[in-house]
Amino acid sequence: MPKSDEIPKSILLVCLGNICRSPTAEGIMRQRTAIAGLTLKIDSAGTGDWHIGEHPDSRAQSHAKQNGYNISKLVARQVSPQDFLDFDLILAMDAQNLKDLQAIRDVAAQNVSSDKLGRLALMSEVDISYLNQDVPDPYNGGADGFEEVIKRLESSVDAWIDTWINTWQH
Ligand code: 4NP
């Protein structure tokens, strides 16, 4: 039986800019966990600082809206070592995000024992359809890229929710 501490109470979704993938992931995670009856703290952040204070990219907003997610009010921020104290699970959109987050987690671990810090994983870690694959960065591409992001995120969010619900039921 999985330990109860493997069920997160708080989740941080992280990409590079916090204006395309991770706010979309936040919108999808908020909606689908609510439908599943789960009460979780959910937020998103970027490893980069270029877009701090901005709302999501207008293309991300419009593709999200077309698919039933309103992310227009989200505001970009940068991830920090404190986030590893504030969140149980930190999900990286791609392998580079994961690498950058590991370095930030290492900074947090200088002051606090590592087992008190949030767990770091790839967004696709439990998703058999896209196992350990990146959520591709859509920023410099076209509309297809934004739709692909939504398709992959819906799949991976559902996979995480299945994992948590199965953990609860055992
Ligand atoms: P995101 O996309 O990481 O999915 O938010 C990007 C947004 C902005 C930039 C790169 C990726 N940028 O270089 O400004």
Side-chain angles (χ1 to χ4, degrees), residues 14-23 46-47 50-51 57 59 93-94 97 135-140 146 149:
V14 180
C15 62
L16 178 59
N18 193 209
I19 55 167
C20 296
R21 291 166 292 174
S22 61
T47 57
W50 313 285
H51 300 285
D57 183 286
R59 299 164 296 169
M93 295 299 126
D94 65 31
N97 302 152
V135 179
D137 183 347
Y139 187 66
N140 291 311
F146 285 87
V149 163

